[in-house]
Amino acid sequence: MSDTEKVLYTGKTHTTGGREGASRSNDGRLDIQLSSPGSSRPGTNPEQLFAAGWSACFIGAIGLAAAQHKIALPADTAVDAEVDLRNRDGGYFLQARLNVSLPGIDRDVAERLVAAAHQTCPYSKATHGNIDVTISIA
């Protein structure tokens, strides 16, 4: 880590039991049961958690891009994230779709904001070149 960068936050969790277990954050604010996708067990799964985190982060990145261009985002800005768990030849992988809604924002402006967000969002950076990602604007 260089002298100019600093850690802003560290999320810490303790998980037991894998996809059929539980996960709890060190501060207790997250305390969830886990279940495999498609199971009837209570709980969520890693793909849903990833989709929730990425969509929240992506909205923040859109907000930063909008602020830089002095554009007010609508209060009902939303991102519907879909994260697919896939299997090919016995190997698992992910793919994702981010469906962005910026009501009242001109399409050209929305496309610029979303493109900028995809360049700055830490989740987008982490997945760049690693999984197929499709972004659409409603």
Side-chain angles (χ1 to χ4, degrees):
M1 184 174 356
S2 73
D3 291 337
T4 60
E5 67 182 69
K6 63 181 178 180
V7 174
L8 300 176
Y9 177 77
T10 301
K12 297 179 184 180
T13 61
H14 178 76
T15 302
T16 57
R19 287 183 173 270
E20 301 298 330
S23 190
R24 187 176 203 285
S25 62
N26 67 316
D27 62 6
R29 296 179 75 180
L30 176 73
D31 190 357
I32 57 170
Q33 293 297 307
L34 299 169
S35 62
S36 293
S39 81
S40 60
R41 291 191 42 174
T44 189
N45 59 66
E47 292 73 28
Q48 289 173 328
L49 293 168
F50 188 65
W54 193 353
S55 57
C57 184
F58 203 81
I59 289 172
I62 293 170
L64 287 174
Q68 290 173 345
H69 293 93
K70 297 181 178 20
I71 297 168
L73 285 183
D76 52 353
T77 294
V79 174
D80 293 322
E82 302 173 19
V83 175
D84 301 323
L85 174 62
R86 308 224 17 218
N87 182 295
R88 180 181 335 137
D89 301 324
Y92 294 96
F93 61 100
L94 300 175
Q95 74 179 22
R97 290 168 302 287
L98 301 178
N99 306 301
V100 181
S101 176
L102 294 167
I105 300 287
D106 178 74
R107 178 130 190 123
D108 290 339
V109 172
E111 288 174 355
R112 286 196 305 271
L113 293 176
V114 167
H118 196 45
Q119 295 300 310
T120 60
C121 173
Y123 282 74
S124 292
K125 287 180 178 183
T127 60
H128 183 75
N130 296 312
I131 70 172
D132 289 333
V133 178
T134 303
I135 300 176
S136 65
I137 301 171

